[in-house]
Amino acid sequence: MDDESKTLKRSIPVLPWMRCPVDVKQVEECSLNLIPCLDHRLKEALEQMNFTSLFPVQVAVWQEIIGPGNFERDLCINSPTGSGKTLAYALPILQLLSTRSIQCLRALIVLPTRDLALQVKQVFDELAPAVGLSVGLAVGQSSIASEISELIKRPKLEAGICYDPDDFMLMQELVSSVDILVATPGRLMDHITNTKGFTLEHLRYLVVDETDRLLREAYQSWLPTVLKMTSSLDESILPHAYNFIAPTFGGPLKTIRRCGVERGFKGKSYPRLAKMVLSATLTQDPSKLGQLDLHHPLFLTTGQRRYELPEKLESYSVICEPNLKPLYLLALLQNLGGEKCIVFASSVESTHRLCTLLKLFDDLKVKVKEYSRLQHQSVRSKTLKAFREGKIQVLVSSDAMTRGMDVEGVRNVINYDKPTYIKTYIHRAGRTARASQVGRCFTLLHKDEVRHFRKLLQKADNESFPVYSLPSNSIESLHSSYESAMEKLKEKVQSETSRKHRSGLKSQRQAKEKRKKSIKD
């Protein structure tokens, strides 16, 4: 049961700071030339990415971090998918970190999925080099040894300089190769637990993207571990370390504090760990938000509604006859004329079966590929790249694609299986109508599902989902192809089941032989 279902079953009080939010809709889009204090290097990098202005949520966050807000409060951001949340936190973090030349891990961005982390890393990669910052990735895409080689280094000693023996030993310690780390919680915990030289003692900024999902699942207790590490301080080695750094800041240190690399010199107290939490469907559950240990949080949202659909999204229903839903899907795809579409199924198994079936239709004139968590990351990345480039027109996906994924030019989203919760609908529909573009979301329904679906959309104040009519002759003309494709699907499923069974038996034999060998040894 998700947050929404629990909320319906019991009344959860709204936290006081969530009762008076900052309405992002009152903030206007702003030209890059008018953004106050924007580093000219970042401005040029944004222009190379074809940005001419910042969206309202990006302007609002900038004002609270770089502008008059001065990041005195942690930020909670509830904004529709496609509104520009990634750049909203990436841009001010890069600006803040660019003012110091000491390299250490100072910003951590945590995301629930590998695919989303790769996408966010790409945004940072396009901007960070402009201000001399390095960005690392910890998602398990490659071996942990490979990740360690990218994240950790041994400092180089300058030739011709004599070092104090104690200082020399300290300088041989492993240190971070990156200023910013984009990570999934599982692999982050691997590095925290096992990687020598990996530390969060200098962490200044923590971003929890897709917060509701990250708080819903424990992920090896990553959050309490990170908060504990960033609030503790081992002063036993810091005085030696900062003796190297002090000259850079104009003199010896008076006070040794965590994060002294940033501030904390000459008696100043060290800065707190500043946090940003973001989602298109941010939870209001106090027990969940309490885990974040937020500092005087400020709530930024779009209007007074908890659930917000993209402004230019058009929602439609497609009423199907029972047992003929694949026919209606095929007719709809043909009617859309090859426009880029994402089709969502309810499970990984349904995704695979539906994609297989569509490929077996003789009349299909678009290229279809599957996208689900059962596929290897390299396969998913290759498929996504081809989809972005237009080599694939239709992506059949499980909900692995729902959160945060940004693919330019997706004109249509199709719910082959209707979503059970409004959160799922919002995240699915949010793959289109992004960045103020027009998009459509079609949901295939049986007649007896319409009433429940209407109640679902009412939670997002959406009363309009007209029926999208398909020509009856287009359905009838596909019957013979459908029957043929279904027969082929049965054969293919049987073949795959038999292959999996043989593979399972082989694995069992190998495991049995391995146990026998270990007993003999």
Side-chain angles (χ1 to χ4, degrees):
M1 187 180 294
D2 71 352
D3 291 344
E4 177 193 306
S5 302
K6 292 177 182 176
T7 304
L8 292 174
K9 287 189 174 287
R10 70 181 193 280
S11 176
I12 294 180
V14 177
L15 289 163
W17 56 267
M18 298 190 91
R19 294 173 190 160
C20 300
V22 173
D23 188 353
V24 174
K25 284 188 175 179
Q26 302 302 314
V27 180
E28 294 184 358
E29 189 171 317
C30 185
S31 166
L32 292 182
N33 294 321
L34 299 177
I35 300 296
C37 305
L38 178 61
D39 190 301
H40 70 92
R41 297 169 296 175
L42 288 173
K43 178 177 176 290
E44 290 172 3
L46 287 167
E47 288 172 341
Q48 289 178 3
M49 296 166 66
N50 296 320
F51 281 94
T52 57
S53 60
L54 295 185
F55 294 146
V57 68
Q58 296 162 351
V59 176
V61 173
W62 182 268
Q63 290 173 346
E64 293 300 329
I65 296 179
I66 305 297
N70 199 29
F71 218 161
E72 292 297 326
R73 307 170 68 180
D74 289 339
L75 302 183
C76 292
I77 303 157
N78 189 83
S79 182
T81 57
S83 58
K85 291 190 290 295
T86 302
L87 191 62
Y89 61 76
L91 194 59
I93 283 176
L94 288 167
Q95 172 111 349
L96 289 169
L97 296 187
S98 67
T99 61
R100 292 287 184 261
S101 59
I102 303 299
Q103 188 173 64
C104 54
L105 180 52
R106 292 172 287 168
L108 173 64
I109 293 79
V110 185
L111 302 112
T113 67
R114 189 181 295 174
D115 302 274
L116 192 51
L118 289 167
Q119 181 177 288
V120 169
K121 168 73 159 47
Q122 186 176 5
V123 174
F124 274 96
D125 281 343
E126 291 186 87
L127 292 169
V131 287
L133 295 172
S134 177
V135 186
L137 185 68
V139 298
Q141 183 182 21
S142 55
S143 69
I144 192 163
S146 178
E147 281 188 356
I148 291 171
S149 68
E150 295 293 326
L151 300 179
I152 305 298
K153 67 180 179 181
R154 196 177 298 277
K156 292 181 179 179
L157 301 180
E158 294 185 26
I161 297 179
C162 294
Y163 294 93
D164 179 272
D166 291 336
D167 294 339
F168 180 79
M169 291 301 295
L170 183 65
M171 286 296 288
Q172 291 301 294
E173 294 293 326
L174 296 169
V175 296
S176 176
S177 296
V178 299
D179 305 283
I180 302 161
L181 180 64
V182 180
T184 51
R187 184 45 71 95
L188 173 64
M189 287 300 293
D190 288 341
H191 286 295
I192 287 173
T193 306
N194 302 311
T195 301
K196 291 182 179 180
F198 186 87
T199 178
L200 300 180
E201 67 178 349
H202 302 115
L203 198 66
R204 283 288 313 277
Y205 307 105
L206 173 64
V207 177
V208 185
D209 203 341
E210 299 297 344
T211 308
D212 47 334
R213 180 169 175 183
L214 282 168
L215 293 181
R216 190 169 65 241
E217 302 175 36
Y219 294 111
Q220 305 173 44
S221 301
W222 75 272
L223 181 58
T225 302
V226 168
L227 295 182
K228 183 178 179 180
M229 289 183 71
T230 52
S231 64
S232 62
L233 174 64
D234 178 4
E235 296 193 11
S236 61
I237 65 168
L238 287 179
H240 299 288
Y242 289 132
N243 284 337
F244 284 101
I245 300 167
T248 306
F249 293 85
L253 300 178
K254 303 298 183 183
T255 304
I256 302 300
R257 303 283 189 182
R258 179 178 68 84
C259 295
V261 174
E262 289 291 333
R263 293 205 295 257
F265 299 93
K266 300 181 180 178
K268 295 181 182 178
S269 62
Y270 67 82
R272 65 183 176 84
L273 175 66
K275 307 183 191 83
M276 279 184 275
V277 299
L278 310 94
S279 179
T281 51
L282 187 67
T283 182
Q284 295 183 359
D285 188 333
S287 65
K288 293 194 184 314
L289 291 171
Q291 299 173 41
L292 293 160
D293 189 25
L294 298 171
H295 175 77
H296 299 296
L298 182 66
F299 186 31
L300 282 70
T301 187
T302 50
Q304 299 301 313
R305 296 195 296 267
R306 180 182 177 187
Y307 299 119
E308 193 89 19
L309 290 165
E311 185 179 356
K312 295 187 178 180
L313 177 75
E314 301 170 1
S315 297
Y316 296 94
S317 61
V318 179
I319 309 303
C320 308
E321 293 180 24
N323 304 320
L324 292 179
K325 215 161 48 162
L327 269 182
Y328 283 81
L329 174 60
L330 185 63
L332 177 58
L333 290 173
Q334 290 183 337
N335 208 46
L336 295 177
E339 291 180 345
K340 196 177 286 188
C341 302
I342 301 176
V343 180
F344 284 106
S346 60
S347 67
V348 172
E349 292 76 17
S350 298
T351 298
H352 178 65
R353 193 174 296 112
L354 179 60
C355 184
T356 304
L357 178 62
L358 288 176
K359 288 179 178 179
L360 294 173
F361 272 98
D362 297 329
D363 299 320
L364 194 63
K365 294 181 173 60
V366 291
K367 190 165 184 180
V368 181
K369 282 282 187 178
E370 176 184 351
Y371 187 94
S372 79
R373 62 179 173 78
L374 282 187
Q375 296 172 309
H376 192 274
Q377 179 62 51
S378 61
V379 175
R380 289 207 306 271
S381 297
K382 185 178 180 181
T383 298
L384 203 56
K385 183 174 183 290
F387 187 53
R388 285 193 167 108
E389 293 172 351
K391 296 174 183 177
I392 297 168
Q393 291 77 46
V394 178
L395 208 61
V396 182
S397 176
S398 64
D399 283 326
M401 188 77 174
T402 52
R403 285 185 177 264
M405 296 301 291
D406 185 13
V407 178
E408 187 177 350
V410 175
R411 182 76 171 86
N412 309 287
V413 165
I414 302 172
N415 291 312
Y416 179 78
D417 294 318
K418 71 177 180 64
T420 306
Y421 305 110
I422 186 60
K423 281 186 178 183
T424 308
Y425 184 85
I426 287 170
H427 285 290
R428 287 182 180 183
R431 298 318 99 214
T432 188
R434 299 177 70 81
S436 300
Q437 299 297 308
V438 176
R440 297 179 291 185
C441 184
F442 302 88
T443 304
L444 276 59
L445 300 167
H446 299 150
K447 287 182 180 179
D448 58 358
E449 294 176 321
V450 173
R451 184 180 175 187
H452 177 269
F453 185 66
R454 179 178 285 109
K455 288 182 178 179
L456 188 81
L457 289 191
Q458 284 174 350
K459 293 171 185 174
D461 285 353
N462 187 349
E463 301 286 346
S464 175
F465 61 104
V467 174
Y468 187 87
S469 298
L470 294 167
S472 57
N473 61 342
S474 68
I475 303 292
E476 292 170 3
S477 65
L478 293 169
H479 271 279
S480 59
S481 297
Y482 176 58
E483 292 174 3
S484 173
M486 285 299 292
E487 288 298 321
K488 293 176 184 176
L489 178 64
K490 288 178 184 177
E491 294 174 5
K492 200 166 186 64
V493 169
Q494 289 175 354
S495 175
E496 288 181 354
T497 303
S498 177
R499 187 168 63 249
K500 286 179 182 178
H501 180 66
R502 290 196 300 271
S503 177
L505 290 175
K506 183 179 179 181
S507 297
Q508 289 176 9
R509 285 198 303 270
Q510 289 174 341
K512 191 175 181 180
E513 289 170 0
K514 190 174 182 180
R515 284 196 299 272
K516 285 181 179 179
K517 186 178 179 182
S518 63
I519 291 171
K520 287 180 181 179
D521 294 342

